[in-house]
């Protein structure tokens, strides 16, 4: 599956073009030597060239005869972005839970957001019992609070309930 | 020589204070656990724990982080041998014979010889750091902006040439990192760049936010693609079984010596790192050993050589970091970012301006090695038990470490969101074989590269020949250009030689994310 690689190469080229466009708005030269636009402009040019080389490499690799199929393993195939069917559901739950904890961490506070995150991942990703999941959901934020908030004096966000 | 001993004794006086001893112990313990857990390499551990050290004295902080750095090399062996899962990219090759030894009931022997080899190699590496650092520092004092720019360029090209299977992807990673480094206030002209009028973008991207996202969250999302995560451990060893027999020692001693030498030489090169060192040491040993036919079936030399090599390389990578300010690997790049955050500039002046820091760190590496050998021999059963926790639960804790670490940087919710975004980017990069370590190196070294380039051109009034007319920078530039072109030339030569047949894929040895 080379499509993902082609998309990545196009994204790199687009980043390069954007860098060139934005860098052209900055001075290229300074009184002596080069200005703030010089470095990003040439980095943008490099990205465009490298993406073209990458597309050529992928295209050449596509033209090679396919390698013999290896025996099936649990490991995902190279370039595979979405997991195989049996791992897809827990992976997606984990991905969405991670996205949710990243967004809600600062608003719900560490204790509540971590508690909910642990409950979901231990129950539906690790497949543990409700009792074990609730134990992780309650005890993990307390352990984090004591270790980071109290012992290491790391500032942690506080939620609407004051913890 | 007397100066050297005096400095080293001063370093021991710093490292042996009760506080610093405690931090060294915490570091090596945490490093061993981090190394033993599958999917969390040294670079992840150091990235996650770096924000928590901001309130600490820099010397204590670096002593703890260095403990994590080389502790993880020891710890990575545990999961490689017991569960056939490399906890660290530098211990991938250890699984070949280490796990076979475990299946034959010799798990403790494999762990024991790995620990002893690591101790010998690590100590040799630190002795060489002690001897070579002042020498290299004297050379580095002659460096001006052109020499630094040429050296940084050499570091980038070496990484891109050996990073992963595709040099082009390595170069793209480094270039994207360099581009990200230009976001924020330009220090030379005072102009904002690519900030889109947003004040919060003036500081640019924090390398730690990027590192925590790419390595912490990215690695975990990748690990979770395997159904049920990684398998749990297979064996339960006892510490008494870890001591090698006379026959094991006779077979392993030269493997340890060869592994140590190979590891040290490879580790000192910018961008090479412990992973490449372990692969080269394994193949050298396979050819040199009288029992080469046993390799892959549980040969003790197949564990001793790469394990010695990765520890010697870890120590060696500190030499370019401390003396030149050039990281030799992904983890030392993160450590370099830490130095800058603590207000320290690694390089030749570090040893004169901050002797407590530089020599305290070197002395702590001696102490850390002794702690690690004791910890690893006696605590093998304890670390083995950490592997029994299922992977999804380990992964959940790592996500929370990443989120808390990102928030702790500046109490800014945007940092946490960026960690999530870079986590997704890290996952995609890993799946598509773009080395994330290259991006971090570009981001950390980008400002240094740009400032030295612009200072050089200011010195020469815009004349680019300044990079080639000065002897040191000229030699470094030639080396950098050769390193840049070598992969392309090599593939053309191989293609011609094979009559147009596609060359065999290269081994996956190189600067990978766990170095």
């Amino acid at each position: 599956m080379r499509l993902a690689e082609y998309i990545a190469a196009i994204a790199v080229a687009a980043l390069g073009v954007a860098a060139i466009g934005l860098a052209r708005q900055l001075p290229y030269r300074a009184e002596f030597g080069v200005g703030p636009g010089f470095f990003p402009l040439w980095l943008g040019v490099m990205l465009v060239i490298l993406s073209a080389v990458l597309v050529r490499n992928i295209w050449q690799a596509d033209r090679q005869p396919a390698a013999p199929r290896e025996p099936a393993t649990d490991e995902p195939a190279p370039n595979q972005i979405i997991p195989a069917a049996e791992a897809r559901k827990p992976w997606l739950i984990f991905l969405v839970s991670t996205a949710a904890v990243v967004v809600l961490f600062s608003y719900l506070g560490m204790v509540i957001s971590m508690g909910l995150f642990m409950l979901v991942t231990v129950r539906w990703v690790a497949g543990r019992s409700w009792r074990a999941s609730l134990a992780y959901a309650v005890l993990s934020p307390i352990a984090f609070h004591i270790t980071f908030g109290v012992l290491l004096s790391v500032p942690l966000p506080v939620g609407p309930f004051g913890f | 020589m007397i100066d050297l001993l005096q400095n080293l004794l001063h370093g021991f006086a710093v490292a042996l204070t009760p506080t610093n001893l405690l931090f060294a112990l915490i570091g090596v313990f945490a490093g061993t656990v981090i190394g033993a857990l599958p999917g969390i390499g040294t670079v992840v551990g150091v990235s996650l724990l770096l924000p928590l050290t901001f309130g600490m004295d820099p010397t204590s902080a670096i002593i703890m982080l260095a403990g994590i750095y080389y502790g993880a090399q020891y710890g990575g062996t545990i999961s490689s041998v017991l569960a056939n899962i490399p906890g660290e990219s530098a211990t991938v090759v250890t699984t070949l014979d280490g796990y076979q030894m475990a299946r034959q009931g010799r798990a403790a022997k494999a762990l024991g010889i790995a620990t002893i080899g690591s101790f010998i190699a690590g100590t040799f590496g630190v002795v060489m750091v002690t001897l070579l650092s002042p020498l290299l520092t004297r050379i580095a004092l002659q460096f001006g902006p052109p020499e630094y720019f040429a050296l940084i360029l050499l570091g980038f090209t070496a990484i891109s040439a050996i990073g992963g299977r595709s040099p082009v992807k390595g170069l793209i990673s480094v270039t994207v990192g360099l581009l990200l480094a230009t976001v924020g206030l330009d220090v030379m002209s005072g102009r904002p760049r690519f900030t889109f009028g947003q004040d919060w973008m003036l500081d640019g991207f924090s390398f730690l936010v990027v590192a925590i996202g790419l390595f912490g969250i990215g690695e975990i999302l990748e690990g979770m693609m395997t159904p049920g995560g990684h398998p749990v451990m297979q064996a339960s060893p006892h510490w008494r079984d870890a001591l090698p027999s006379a026959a094991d020692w006779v077979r392993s001693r030269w493997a340890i010596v060869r592994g140590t030498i190979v590891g040290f030489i490879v580790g000192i090169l910018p961008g090479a790192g412990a992973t490449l060192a372990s692969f080269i040491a394994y193949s050298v040993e396979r050819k040199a050993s009288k029992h080469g036919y046993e390799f892959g079936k549980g040969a003790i030399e197949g564990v001793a050589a790469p394990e010695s090599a990765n520890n010697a390389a870890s120590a060696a990578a500190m030499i370019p970091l401390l003396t030149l300010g050039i990281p030799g690997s992904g983890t030392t790049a993160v450590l370099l970012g830490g130095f800058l955050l603590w207000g320290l500039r690694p390089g030749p002046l570090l040893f004169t301006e901050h002797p407590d820091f530089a020599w305290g760190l070197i002395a702590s590496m001696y102490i850390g090695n002794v702690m690690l050998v004791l910890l690893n021999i006696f605590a093998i059963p304890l670390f083995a038990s950490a592997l029994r926790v299922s992977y999804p639960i380990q992964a959940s804790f790592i996500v929370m470490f990443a989120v808390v670490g990102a928030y702790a940087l500046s109490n800014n919710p945007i940092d946490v969101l960026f960690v999530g975004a870079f986590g997704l980017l890290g996952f995609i990069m890993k799946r598509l074989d773009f080395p994330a370590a290259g991006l971090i190196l570009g981001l950390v070294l980008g400002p240094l590269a740009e400032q030295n380039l612009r200072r050089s051109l200011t010195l020469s009034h815009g004349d680019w020949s300044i990079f080639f007319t000065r002897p040191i920078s000229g030699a470094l530039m030639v080396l950098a250009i050769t390193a840049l072109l070598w992969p392309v030339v090599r593939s053309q030569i191989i293609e011609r030689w094979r009559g147009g047949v596609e060359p065999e894929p290269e081994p996956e040895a190189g600067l990978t994310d766990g170095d």
Side-chain angles (χ1 to χ4, degrees):
Chain A
M1 181 61 177
R2 295 272 176 182
L3 182 64
E5 281 192 286
Y6 279 118
I7 293 171
I10 292 165
V12 169
L15 182 65
V17 170
I20 294 168
L22 290 167
R24 279 169 60 90
Q25 296 167 13
L26 295 163
Y28 184 79
R29 291 194 181 282
E31 194 176 355
F32 302 105
V34 295
F38 172 86
F39 204 58
L41 180 92
W42 285 102
L43 290 174
V45 171
M46 265 185 74
L47 282 180
V48 172
I49 296 169
L50 287 168
S51 66
V53 177
L54 184 60
V55 166
R56 195 202 74 158
N57 288 357
I58 304 165
W59 185 70
Q60 281 189 339
D62 259 348
R63 289 175 60 208
Q64 297 294 321
R69 281 178 77 92
E70 289 183 10
T73 64
D74 280 351
E75 295 293 324
N79 300 328
Q80 186 185 340
I81 303 271
I82 305 292
E86 68 270 39
R88 195 171 297 154
K89 194 177 160 195
W91 185 80
L92 282 173
I93 294 173
F94 194 82
L95 180 72
V96 172
S97 314
T98 303
V101 81
V102 159
V103 173
L104 298 175
F105 183 73
S106 311
Y107 305 101
L108 288 183
M110 192 279 288
V111 173
I112 295 178
S113 58
M114 183 177 183
L116 289 173
F117 176 72
M118 294 303 292
L119 183 71
V120 171
T121 54
V122 175
R123 178 73 189 98
W124 286 291
V125 181
R128 295 297 176 88
S129 66
W130 272 108
R131 187 183 292 182
S133 307
L134 282 169
Y136 272 105
V138 172
L139 297 177
S140 314
I142 294 173
F144 261 60
H145 179 76
I146 292 171
T147 311
F148 294 108
V150 179
L151 297 177
L152 292 169
S153 305
V154 171
L156 295 168
V158 176
F161 304 109
F163 55 85
Chain B
M1 193 67 190
I2 290 179
D3 278 356
L4 184 83
L5 281 175
Q6 273 179 345
N7 286 328
L8 190 60
L9 283 175
H10 175 69
F12 273 107
V14 173
L16 285 171
T17 59
T19 317
N20 287 341
L21 267 180
L22 178 68
F23 280 119
L25 187 63
I26 293 171
V28 295
F29 185 83
T32 310
V33 174
I34 285 166
L37 295 175
I40 329 173
T42 331
V43 69
V44 179
V46 173
S47 308
L48 290 177
L49 294 178
L50 188 53
L52 307 177
T53 64
F54 285 172
M56 290 165 62
D57 166 56
T59 309
S60 304
I62 190 66
I63 283 175
M64 188 175 90
L65 290 174
I68 294 170
Y69 173 48
Y70 42 78
Q73 305 284 357
Y74 278 73
T77 317
I78 297 174
S79 56
S80 291
V81 170
L82 297 182
N84 201 24
I85 308 161
E88 249 276 308
S89 64
T91 59
V92 168
V93 76
T94 309
T95 57
L96 300 177
D97 284 281
Y99 185 62
Q100 291 302 322
M101 285 181 73
R103 289 183 64 180
Q104 295 158 11
R106 296 193 293 148
K109 284 275 182 289
L111 290 172
I113 202 70
T115 303
I116 292 165
S118 297
F119 173 72
I120 293 169
T123 306
F124 171 81
V126 183
V127 170
M128 296 306 281
V129 171
T130 314
L131 295 174
L132 290 182
S133 294
L135 188 73
L136 263 174
T137 300
R138 276 200 287 280
I139 298 169
L141 278 171
Q142 297 168 17
F143 277 30
E147 285 77 17
Y148 268 114
F149 175 73
L151 189 69
I152 294 167
L153 196 65
L154 179 65
F156 286 149
T157 51
I159 285 154
S160 307
I162 58 164
R165 279 167 293 188
S166 163
V168 177
K169 288 180 178 175
L171 272 174
I172 288 174
S173 295
V174 171
T175 313
V176 171
L178 287 168
L179 194 59
L180 286 179
T182 62
V183 175
L185 204 65
D186 172 36
V187 285
M188 292 189 70
S189 68
R191 281 180 82 112
R193 290 191 293 192
F194 313 130
T195 56
F196 306 101
Q198 303 291 318
D199 287 347
W200 56 269
M201 285 188 77
L202 285 173
D203 287 337
F205 287 103
S206 156
F207 93 93
L208 259 176
V209 166
V210 180
I212 292 172
L214 288 182
F215 297 125
I217 309 267
E219 295 268 345
I220 290 304
L221 287 177
E222 219 249 345
M224 289 296 296
M225 283 186 84
T226 310
H230 293 281
V232 290
M233 59 161 287
Q234 310 288 327
S236 188
H238 191 274
W239 73 267
R240 279 196 200 88
D241 306 324
L243 303 172
S245 65
D248 288 336
W249 176 244
V250 168
R251 277 185 63 164
S252 308
R253 60 191 172 172
W254 288 110
I256 291 172
V257 171
R258 281 187 284 264
T260 302
I261 294 168
V262 167
F264 184 79
I265 293 170
V266 176
I268 204 168
L269 301 173
T275 308
L276 184 65
S278 64
F279 273 90
I280 295 178
Y282 186 81
S283 57
V284 165
E285 199 50 43
R286 194 174 183 169
K287 290 195 178 79
S289 169
K290 278 187 275 185
H291 308 93
Y293 57 91
E294 282 183 32
F295 274 60
K297 297 171 192 154
I300 197 162
E301 302 97 314
V303 176
E307 282 300 313
S308 306
N310 65 33
N311 276 271
S314 303
M318 295 299 263
I319 296 178
L321 176 70
L322 290 174
T323 59
L324 304 169
I326 302 295
S329 65
T331 313
T332 44
V334 176
L335 286 177
L336 172 66
F339 284 18
L340 299 174
L341 287 171
W342 296 319
L344 299 167
R345 169 77 198 274
L349 294 177
L350 186 73
F351 283 83
T352 48
E353 286 176 356
H354 304 282
D356 280 9
F357 180 87
W359 288 104
L361 168 64
I362 291 177
S364 82
M365 290 167 75
Y366 286 96
I367 300 163
N369 262 309
V370 176
M371 284 179 178
L372 274 165
V373 81
L374 297 174
L375 195 67
N376 274 270
I377 294 282
F378 293 109
I380 281 171
L382 177 72
F383 292 129
S385 66
L387 289 173
R388 294 201 182 91
V389 178
S390 83
Y391 187 74
I393 295 175
Q394 289 176 20
S396 304
F397 278 111
I398 293 159
V399 167
M400 287 314 301
F401 268 116
V403 170
V404 169
Y407 187 82
L409 285 174
S410 55
N411 306 344
N412 188 349
I414 291 172
D415 284 343
V416 183
L417 294 177
F418 270 126
V419 159
F422 279 105
L424 198 58
L425 178 69
F427 164 72
I428 294 169
M429 287 178 74
K430 193 138 179 88
R431 292 308 309 150
L432 299 181
D433 200 27
F434 285 87
L439 195 152
I440 290 294
L441 276 159
L443 185 61
V444 172
L445 289 182
L448 294 175
E450 185 182 7
Q451 283 163 32
N452 282 301
L453 172 78
R454 286 165 70 182
R455 281 193 194 121
S456 306
L457 290 172
T458 305
L459 281 175
S460 69
H461 289 230
D463 182 3
W464 286 81
S465 66
I466 191 171
F467 295 109
F468 295 93
T469 49
R470 294 163 63 122
I472 298 176
S473 75
L476 291 170
M477 286 300 278
V478 169
L479 277 174
I481 292 167
T482 312
L484 185 68
L485 295 178
W486 172 241
V488 181
V489 174
R490 184 182 55 178
S491 64
Q492 294 296 324
I493 293 171
I494 294 172
E495 218 164 311
R496 290 259 162 86
W497 184 63
R498 296 194 173 181
V501 178
E502 176 76 355
E504 276 178 25
E506 292 167 37
E508 254 184 281
L511 180 101
T512 51
D513 300 341
D515 267 340

